[in-house]
């Protein structure tokens, strides 16, 4: 796919307020591949791969918060040219893999699944100063459903590798 975007709007953190700013032009090109294989009647394998190349084609007046010694930002942001920088929140590579297994017996339906996702990181701001490093998340669940399917029990674990990542800047 290929997107040629005009007047892309960004949410910019300025002090304690959020403002909307227009990035004049941006482009995103890439591709996705998703595979699902029913290996048996009980076992399904899933894989996904996404490649994204997103950059600002014309963004001469991006807001940038100037860092001060001690880690805080200057309260007066400056405008900088970020043309050619990677688009915020857009990783170059993302991968997904999952295994799902379920089996129906006289005592009910049993199942488990494990899903892993990888994100190779991205910038949080147009000036590229704040970066989300790459991370991998693994989630899993075990489930039992009664033969009547009226009730069941599920045990779910999220972020089993205990990786730290930001969900917002």
């Amino acid at each position: 796919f290929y997107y040629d975007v005009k007047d892309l709007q960004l949410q910019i953190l300025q002090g304690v307020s959020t403002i909307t700013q227009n990035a004049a032009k941006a482009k995103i090109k890439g591709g996705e591949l998703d595979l699902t294989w029913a290996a048996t009647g009980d076992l399904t394998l899933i894989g996904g791969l996404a490649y994204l190349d997103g950059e600002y084609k014309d963004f001469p007046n991006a807001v940038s918060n100037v860092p001060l010694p001690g880690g805080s930002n200057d309260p007066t942001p400056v405008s900088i040219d970020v043309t050619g920088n990677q688009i915020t929140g857009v990783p170059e590579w993302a991968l997904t893999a999952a295994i799902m297994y379920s089996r129906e017996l006289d005592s009910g339906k049993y199942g488990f699944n494990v899903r892993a996702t990888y994100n190779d990181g991205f910038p949080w701001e147009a000036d590229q100063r704040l970066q989300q490093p790459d991370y991998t998340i693994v989630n899993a669940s075990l489930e039992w459903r009664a033969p009547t399917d009226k009730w069941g029990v599920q045990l779910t674990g999220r972020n089993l590798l205990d990786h730290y990542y930001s969900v917002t800047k």
Side-chain angles (χ1 to χ4, degrees), residues 67-165:
L68 295 173
S72 64
N73 289 326
D74 186 329
T76 308
V78 297
S79 290
I80 62 171
D81 187 352
V82 297
T83 301
N85 281 6
Q86 183 179 352
I87 295 176
T88 58
V90 176
E92 187 175 13
W93 290 100
L95 304 150
T96 301
I99 299 172
M100 297 186 304
Y101 180 82
S102 65
R103 182 84 186 239
E104 225 168 303
L105 302 172
D106 291 339
S107 57
K109 185 175 182 179
Y110 298 84
F112 80 89
N113 74 61
V114 177
R115 179 175 298 272
T117 58
Y118 170 78
N119 182 309
D120 80 338
F122 53 85
W124 279 110
E125 296 177 342
D127 63 8
Q128 316 280 286
R129 192 168 59 94
L130 295 176
Q131 296 280 329
Q132 169 61 60
D134 69 320
Y135 61 91
T136 302
I137 302 298
V138 176
N139 300 326
S141 69
L142 294 170
E143 180 179 29
W144 172 79
R145 304 280 311 159
T148 60
D149 205 31
K150 289 186 178 182
W151 61 281
V153 177
Q154 184 177 50
L155 174 65
T156 301
R158 298 194 182 274
N159 194 7
L160 297 174
L161 300 177
D162 198 28
H163 284 175
Y164 291 97
Y165 64 101

Side-chain angles (χ1 to χ4, degrees), residues 1-5 26-32 50-55 57 87 90-92:
F1 57 85
Y2 180 84
Y3 297 112
D4 192 2
V5 183
K27 72 170 173 78
I28 301 175
K29 61 183 176 180
E32 294 183 32
Y51 171 75
L52 299 169
D53 178 17
E55 73 175 43
K57 288 173 53 178
I87 295 176
V90 176
E92 187 175 13

